[in-house]
Amino acid sequence: MASQLNLSIDRSSPVPLYHQVVQGIEAAIHNGTLAPGSRLDNEIDLAAKLNLSRPTMRKAMDELVRAGLLVRKRGVGTQVVASQVRRSLELSSLFDDLASRGSKPTTEVLSFAHREADASTREALNLPAGASVYHFVRLRKVDGKPLALMENWVRDDITEITESALRTRGMYDILRSGGVNFRLANQRIGAVVANEYQAPLLETPVGAALVTMERTAVDDTGRMVETGHHVYRADSYSFEMTLVQR
Amino acid sequence: MASQLNLSIDRSSPVPLYHQVVQGIEAAIHNGTLAPGSRLDNEIDLAAKLNLSRPTMRKAMDELVRAGLLVRKRGVGTQVVASQVRRSLELSSLFDDLASRGSKPTTEVLSFAHREADASTREALNLPAGASVYHFVRLRKVDGKPLALMENWVRDDITEITESALRTRGMYDILRSGGVNFRLANQRIGAVVANEYQAPLLETPVGAALVTMERTAVDDTGRMVETGHHVYRADSYSFEMTLVQR
DNA sequence: CATCCTGATATGTCCTAACAAGCGGACATA
DNA sequence: TATGTCCGCTTGTTAGGACATATCAGGATG
């Protein structure tokens, strides 16, 4: 099974070679050039074909294995794994997710305040007594239909946040523009039933199922930047992810 | 900040050197030898100190960065990221999760069958017409309290599954013993409210919130081994995970 | 005919070596 | 004093080679 892999490597590009290979193989898998289950040429031949060293080729394949697109077996070879694998759950905002899918998200800011943090917020964000935070509640709609009710607390010593900015942009986008480099987030997903406050806002009956998500995000300096409590209509939203065994 | 890092590398061990380094640094972070926020020595010095090459050292640090324990910045250095980071969501079973936490899970097998797969199951597991599968429903309790209602379909051409085995062991444990090497799983988490069938089994009122999880697991040969639909009592269970920016 | 051994193949691990590029402080200059 | 440039430090990328080890097929052996 000679692979029809037809990659072009641009050595003058600022994009690292191994990353160009990753993108090339990813594209080949998605457009069907590399069928699920098919075997790739061995690492050494592939590297030779692209005029790359074996370590570079391996680094590219490592990433694809980690992403769950390829499977390697010692002594046997490397093959394309089956099926519609979604990318691993990423550190992105709902706004970006929706926008990239072609939907038109809108945001209503139900409340907005810049005030001293209470005890539980200080604990969640690891702030000293007396520190102040932004606190706001937003309602996210898609095509006029309410989808999520989101309450967030954000530390105020990084970048300024305004109510008008929140109306047109996602929170993560605003923070990134303000120089925040997110590194990781802890989140917890659960379920509740809609109460009298949530139900009318989400235009769903009291007692309807809602997905809950609590998240605290940390930037590259180790600061906890943001914590939030979101609820989503269960009939419109769920969390999809791919788990990879390492 | 000279690191007190005191690792011992055993070159005669079958454990790869880079993995020994990963374990050593992981342990140092967890026992406090490496404090959150502290800077590590640079790669070259660290490698020299352990008599390793820089690529080996880097491979170890790569893994720790991916796991969210370390943060690297070009031109600056590498530091330990803030504290209570849970390990990324893993491909494990509820049974193992509970057992490793010291709880005593019990399993009731509500139904068990070995029969021809219907169309939707064949699609989920990518099976040909006429193939047969195991189909079973289990109720998982912890300390006598019901927690999860789990319905699964498993292909039957890999290993034998018996009702009695399911009563004492987790499904993933059984499959792994049967030679299955899981590689990845796609899962979706959402919410529903308990219906008349689920409520009495889970000893919760009709209309209570439940967390739902649908999962399909793939082994290292690309076969879809197992698909299932689980519901959990929302007041007793939620999914916790750490997302890492790459 | 069944079993064991062996060799070819492919990935896994580890090394040395070199240059590129971002960051930040030191230093020189206006 | 303020500012801009330069240089050293550290991580990022790439190369090329060597040996280890799991797997599988085919041949030798009982």
Side-chain angles (χ1 to χ4, degrees):
Chain A
M1 180 168 304
S3 69
Q4 302 303 329
L5 207 41
N6 186 348
L7 303 182
S8 58
I9 301 297
D10 176 8
R11 300 191 82 93
S12 68
S13 161
V15 177
L17 302 183
Y18 70 85
H19 200 252
Q20 292 185 40
V21 176
V22 167
Q23 292 174 326
I25 296 182
E26 229 169 12
I29 291 175
H30 287 137
N31 73 22
T33 307
L34 283 174
S38 62
R39 270 214 332 282
L40 269 67
D41 285 351
N42 70 58
E43 299 172 349
I44 300 182
D45 289 353
L46 268 181
K49 205 169 295 183
L50 298 175
N51 284 312
L52 298 172
S53 68
R54 187 179 165 215
T56 301
M57 196 65 216
R58 263 187 79 77
K59 184 165 169 92
M61 296 174 83
D62 271 347
E63 298 220 354
L64 291 162
V65 167
R66 247 180 258 266
L69 293 175
L70 297 182
V71 169
R72 287 196 283 210
K73 286 185 105 172
R74 183 193 287 203
V76 180
T78 303
Q79 43 178 327
V80 179
V81 84
S83 77
Q84 71 301 350
V85 174
R86 288 190 183 281
R87 182 165 286 105
S88 187
L89 196 53
E90 285 187 12
L91 190 46
S92 61
S93 71
L94 176 59
F95 192 91
D96 299 333
D97 286 350
L98 294 170
S100 67
R101 233 180 296 167
S103 307
K104 293 192 206 96
T106 62
T107 306
E108 292 175 22
V109 180
L110 301 181
S111 79
F112 183 89
H114 182 193
R115 60 156 176 254
E116 191 170 328
D118 62 22
S120 65
T121 304
R122 287 203 308 273
E123 190 188 2
L125 296 179
N126 196 23
L127 292 172
S132 59
V133 295
Y134 295 106
H135 173 220
F136 43 88
V137 179
R138 293 169 297 160
L139 181 64
R140 174 74 35 84
K141 295 186 177 182
V142 179
D143 305 327
K145 190 176 138 194
L147 175 65
L149 186 60
M150 308 178 288
E151 181 171 19
N152 287 88
W153 293 263
V154 184
R155 58 190 299 158
D156 65 349
D157 56 354
I158 299 179
T159 188
E160 193 190 357
I161 296 180
T162 65
E163 191 172 345
S164 66
L166 285 172
R167 271 197 286 268
T168 55
R169 302 166 63 194
M171 179 184 70
Y172 272 45
D173 185 31
I174 295 173
L175 288 170
R176 263 189 266 260
S177 303
V180 177
N181 297 308
F182 287 106
R183 265 300 167 267
L184 54 88
N186 291 298
Q187 72 179 32
R188 176 195 292 271
I189 300 172
V192 295
V193 295
N195 63 26
E196 297 79 1
Y197 166 68
Q198 297 158 337
L201 289 169
L202 291 169
E203 295 175 19
T204 192
V206 172
L210 302 178
V211 181
T212 69
M213 191 265 279
E214 295 167 61
R215 174 192 280 183
T216 299
V218 182
D219 77 356
D220 57 1
T221 65
R223 289 182 301 194
M224 298 180 186
V225 175
E226 172 268 323
T227 185
H229 188 151
H230 298 185
V231 296
Y232 306 84
R233 282 182 55 161
D235 58 357
S236 310
Y237 197 74
S238 60
F239 288 89
E240 252 184 86
M241 63 199 77
T242 299
L243 311 181
V244 179
Q245 180 80 19
R246 299 191 303 182
Chain B
M1 178 168 307
S3 70
Q4 302 303 329
L5 207 40
N6 186 348
L7 303 182
S8 58
I9 301 298
D10 176 7
R11 298 192 83 94
S12 67
S13 161
V15 178
L17 302 182
Y18 68 86
H19 199 252
Q20 293 184 38
V21 177
V22 168
Q23 293 175 325
I25 296 181
E26 229 169 12
I29 291 175
H30 287 136
N31 73 22
T33 308
L34 283 174
S38 62
R39 269 213 334 280
L40 268 67
D41 286 349
N42 71 59
E43 299 172 349
I44 300 182
D45 288 354
L46 268 182
K49 205 169 295 183
L50 297 175
N51 285 312
L52 297 172
S53 69
R54 188 181 164 213
T56 301
M57 194 67 216
R58 265 186 76 77
K59 184 168 170 85
M61 295 174 85
D62 272 347
E63 298 219 355
L64 291 162
V65 168
R66 245 179 260 266
L69 293 175
L70 297 182
V71 169
R72 285 196 285 209
K73 287 183 108 169
R74 182 191 289 200
V76 179
T78 304
Q79 37 178 330
V80 180
V81 87
S83 61
Q84 74 303 356
V85 174
R86 286 188 184 283
R87 183 161 286 103
S88 186
L89 198 52
E90 286 186 11
L91 189 47
S92 61
S93 71
L94 175 59
F95 192 92
D96 299 334
D97 287 350
L98 294 170
S100 68
R101 234 180 295 167
S103 307
K104 294 193 204 93
T106 61
T107 307
E108 291 174 23
V109 180
L110 301 181
S111 78
F112 183 90
H114 181 194
R115 60 155 175 254
E116 191 171 328
D118 62 22
S120 64
T121 304
R122 287 202 308 273
E123 189 187 4
L125 295 178
N126 196 23
L127 293 172
S132 58
V133 294
Y134 296 105
H135 172 219
F136 44 87
V137 178
R138 292 168 297 159
L139 181 65
R140 174 76 32 86
K141 295 186 178 183
V142 179
D143 304 328
K145 191 176 136 195
L147 176 64
L149 187 59
M150 309 178 287
E151 181 171 20
N152 288 87
W153 293 262
V154 185
R155 58 190 300 158
D156 66 349
D157 56 353
I158 299 180
T159 187
E160 193 189 357
I161 296 180
T162 66
E163 191 172 344
S164 65
L166 285 172
R167 272 196 285 267
T168 56
R169 301 165 63 193
M171 179 185 71
Y172 272 46
D173 184 31
I174 295 173
L175 289 170
R176 264 190 265 261
S177 304
V180 177
N181 297 308
F182 287 105
R183 265 299 168 267
L184 55 87
N186 291 297
Q187 72 180 32
R188 175 196 294 269
I189 301 172
V192 295
V193 295
N195 61 26
E196 297 80 0
Y197 166 69
Q198 298 158 336
L201 289 169
L202 291 170
E203 295 175 19
T204 192
V206 172
L210 301 178
V211 181
T212 68
M213 191 266 278
E214 295 166 62
R215 175 192 280 183
T216 300
V218 183
D219 77 356
D220 57 1
T221 64
R223 289 182 301 194
M224 298 181 186
V225 175
E226 173 268 323
T227 186
H229 187 150
H230 299 184
V231 297
Y232 306 84
R233 283 182 54 161
D235 57 358
S236 311
Y237 196 75
S238 59
F239 287 89
E240 250 185 88
M241 64 198 77
T242 299
L243 311 181
V244 179
Q245 180 79 19
R246 299 192 302 182

